[in-house]
Amino acid sequence: MESGYRKIEWAERNMKTLGRIREEFRREKPLEGYRIGMALHVEAKTAVLVKTLIEGGADVAITGCNPLSTQDDVANALRDMGIKCFARRGMSKEEYYEALNRVVDFKPDVIVDDGADLIFLLHGERLDCDVLGASEETTTGVMRLKAMEREGVLRFPVIAVNDAYTKFLFDNRYGTGQSTWDGIFRATNMLIAGKNVVIAGYGWCGRGIALRAKGLGANVIVTEVDEIRALEAVMDGFKVMPMRDACKFGDIFITATGNVNVIRGEHFKLMKDGAILANAGHFNVEISIPDLESMSVSKREIRRYMTEYDLGDKKIYLIAEGRLVNLVVGDGHPIEVMDMSFSDQALAIRYIVENHEKLENRVYRLPEELDRKVARLKLEVMGVEIDELTEEQVAYLSDWRHGT
Ligand code: ADE
């Protein structure tokens, strides 16, 4: 528990943007009397968000959003502070859902979710709980929520924090870019230079992973289903090909698609001996573990968080049971990146509390002025100044009559 407190202190020291918002919350108490129910990766940066909400007057209950990502020392420190925290590392599926239910039992006014499992529960088994609104952290969660919105089944408004510029441009790209490699380094202890790295998906996460792979000296291959993203990957200097071809060359495979069975039996068959598989997407469905299991004669843990599957003619290595490599093996995204994402979260929660009556049961972006506020504060705490438009420039931009 002591180590949990120290991790939180280190994160707090480096989350200066959220620190500014925390000062506002301390003064203005915008969340006084509200209950906030959270399902997030319980680690040090998340604890700093929880402490910020409490400064704002909220009562908080939290659990994990993945059975393997909780850091127990941090969860224990939160409990020691008197916060209702139901997360524990290595929960079974039943225990995981039991913990989500305990957050619902707390009768939250606002939900903060990562992956939308908690929100999903409120649309099925737990219709007894009414909330004012929710915020969602991640791409996968937003995809699920937009599908619910399309089907007209959403019961409350949701802010897609993921879609804020100060979130996806930094967290998804530079955060995932660094933390995925951090997880792979820790799991494998291998050199990346000269390796063939196959990255499935060229969304913002895939781009970040590819960018850093290039910097590490890897030969990067991208697989995509979207023609525009594929074209971007080509012009960013990467080889693009279907997985049926890429699977023959890859030394390391990383999935970041949000989709199911992206790497499966037909690909395992063609892989090289020693191929390493990791997933950076929210759910452990991108690499087909059932196929891997059924094609193997045996398996064993060769290193912490790395399973060796013996397929008879070759061995394939799966990191972190195909779960989020950056959070299971590493500590999640770097602190300065989560500083922005969780500032967006804090402002989204305040926005829901203050504006829920005006909102429909839809998925909203974080209002642009709040997104820009986070960018401004971040620049300020980094000591970076920028220019302002002169009056002449403002006038020029609004004058459509000018030309050559
Ligand atoms: N730490 C807490 N939440 C996280 C997330 N969604 N991604 C990476 N690191 C995190």
Side-chain angles (χ1 to χ4, degrees), residues 69-80:
S69 64
T70 298
Q71 300 204 4
D72 283 332
D73 53 356
V74 172
N76 288 336
L78 284 172
R79 283 188 276 272
D80 189 59

Side-chain angles (χ1 to χ4, degrees), residues 40-43 45-46 65 114 137-138 167 171 176 179 282 324 326-327 331-334 338 342:
L40 293 177
H41 298 291
V42 177
E43 51 99 352
K45 282 96 75 183
T46 311
C65 61
D114 185 330
E137 172 75 10
T138 204
K167 203 282 188 179
D171 173 311
T176 312
S179 63
H282 185 79
L324 284 158
N326 59 343
L327 278 142
D331 288 310
H333 291 344
M338 291 311 294
F342 283 164

Side-chain angles (χ1 to χ4, degrees), residues 222-335:
V222 169
T223 70
E224 247 306 335
V225 290
D226 180 290
E227 49 277 64
I228 295 173
R229 287 181 174 180
L231 202 51
E232 277 186 283
V234 170
M235 300 218 184
D236 285 345
F238 302 121
K239 284 215 155 45
V240 174
M241 61 183 80
M243 187 59 82
R244 67 168 181 274
D245 296 326
C247 66
K248 297 174 208 153
F249 305 115
D251 298 303
I252 300 175
F253 293 81
I254 305 166
T255 49
T257 68
N259 215 331
V260 68
N261 293 336
V262 176
I263 305 183
R264 49 188 183 265
E266 62 186 285
H267 305 124
F268 300 141
K269 264 191 208 143
L270 299 172
M271 278 181 190
K272 299 196 285 192
D273 177 40
I276 295 169
L277 313 175
N279 169 47
H282 185 79
F283 288 116
N284 62 338
V285 296
E286 305 203 18
I287 299 164
S288 173
I289 298 171
D291 282 0
L292 210 43
E293 295 275 344
S294 69
M295 290 167 72
S296 300
V297 289
S298 65
K299 67 172 181 182
R300 62 176 177 149
E301 184 166 306
I302 184 107
R303 272 176 71 87
R304 188 148 193 252
Y305 295 125
M306 194 152 66
T307 310
E308 178 187 78
Y309 285 90
D310 187 343
L311 277 66
D313 59 335
K314 67 183 152 213
K315 293 187 170 111
I316 292 181
Y317 297 87
L318 176 67
I319 301 179
E321 301 171 23
R323 295 194 183 273
L324 284 158
V325 63
N326 59 343
L327 278 142
V328 176
V329 191
D331 288 310
H333 291 344
I335 298 171

